[in-house]
Amino acid sequence: MRVLIVDDEPLARDRLKRMLSSIGGCEVVGEAGSGEQALGAAEELSPDLVFMDVRMPGMDGLAAAQYLAELNPPPAVIFCTAYDDYAVEAFSSEAIGYLLKPIKQVELENAIMRTKRINKAQLSELQDSPFFQSEGRSHIAAKNRRGIDLVAVADIRLFQADHKYVTAYHTEGEALLDETLKELEDEFEGRFVRIHRNALVSIPHIEGLERNIDGQFFVRLHNMDIRPQVSRRHVAPLRKLLEQI
């Protein structure tokens, strides 16, 4: 998750940056000291999440958040302020969080976790999107010891190849398929995207792209503990795709 910190106090920015450094999956990509600077930084850096101070000289955080909400796609905004009388205005600007200074580590972590959750309305909208309306089967047949299971494609998050088999990871578990990854990629183009020579992921179920300390990228999928790795050659195309949806 790419994070932009906006606060007119350098010490406050430094403190928040230190707190974020201990939270996995967060990368501070920039800072700004005013609302005007925040708009320029957001355009240039395309952050996923903006921590926004409310009271700042010139354009305040509330006004800046209104402008950020017009971006396509807009970043998530969490307000950070020493004053508790801006909550109504903050959420009217479509902010997803409101933290009172001095910020506590546990409250910061909880706020970030909320940004990663997808709600039922969002999932319903994704399932009605063109990604779920493309050509191809609605179910895939998977052999087991008792016979054959039918797995709904809409429930599958990940196809992963291992030697001669492909495993489909879905909401109820996993299933072994006789089909090749290439065959699945061709059939479900537009619904699944290749992120590695051995993996396809469901586009509507992607929640984010994470990077570890070694610079490796992994995809975070809705309701899935597995984090499939993204190969270097697929990072840029995947980022471009995520910016478009």
Side-chain angles (χ1 to χ4, degrees), residues 32-234:
S34 68
E36 292 89 345
Q37 292 178 12
L39 301 185
E43 289 278 4
E44 178 184 353
L45 301 171
S46 296
D48 304 307
L49 174 61
V50 178
F51 285 95
M52 181 81 74
D53 189 19
V54 175
R55 286 191 175 182
M56 293 182 290
M59 179 185 291
D60 65 17
L62 295 171
Q66 295 283 0
Y67 280 101
L68 292 180
E70 300 300 319
L71 296 178
N72 186 22
V77 175
I78 296 177
F79 282 102
C80 305
T81 178
Y83 307 94
D84 61 0
D85 53 351
Y86 289 102
V88 174
E89 293 92 337
F91 287 108
S92 70
S93 67
E94 302 183 26
I96 62 168
Y98 189 88
L99 297 175
L100 286 176
K101 297 178 180 179
I103 300 169
K104 297 179 180 178
Q105 186 72 30
V106 65
E107 294 174 348
L108 178 63
E109 293 174 0
N110 288 338
I112 290 175
M113 285 301 299
R114 286 194 295 272
T115 70
K116 297 179 179 180
R117 295 181 188 144
I118 183 171
N119 59 44
K120 290 184 178 179
Q122 292 169 326
L123 185 57
S124 176
E125 182 178 353
L126 285 171
Q127 289 173 335
D128 290 336
S129 73
F131 295 119
F132 276 98
Q133 307 302 321
S134 61
E135 297 297 325
R137 291 166 289 174
S138 62
H139 291 73
I140 287 182
K143 294 180 181 179
N144 59 39
R145 293 178 181 177
R146 301 181 304 277
I148 294 177
D149 286 331
L150 286 178
V151 181
V153 176
D155 291 336
I156 297 174
R157 272 49 171 174
L158 166 68
F159 291 116
Q160 193 158 42
D162 183 16
H163 300 295
K164 63 179 181 178
Y165 292 105
V166 171
T167 302
Y169 294 88
H170 55 92
T171 52
E172 301 299 323
E174 55 189 73
L176 282 178
L177 310 177
D178 288 334
E179 303 167 70
T180 69
L181 208 60
K182 177 59 176 171
E183 291 170 340
L184 294 167
E185 181 181 26
D186 292 341
E187 180 177 359
F188 299 113
E189 182 181 4
R191 295 174 69 173
F192 287 80
V193 62
R194 185 177 288 271
I195 62 167
H196 197 280
R197 60 181 175 79
N198 69 353
L200 304 172
V201 296
S202 169
I203 297 172
H205 292 107
I206 297 176
E207 287 191 336
L209 187 62
E210 301 176 351
R211 185 170 65 181
N212 65 15
I213 58 175
D214 296 322
Q216 298 170 317
F217 286 88
F218 299 84
V219 173
R220 187 175 68 255
L221 297 166
H222 177 62
N223 280 352
M224 181 68 63
D225 292 331
I226 298 174
R227 299 285 194 269
Q229 184 175 350
V230 184
S231 66
R232 291 187 181 276
R233 67 185 294 261
H234 288 102

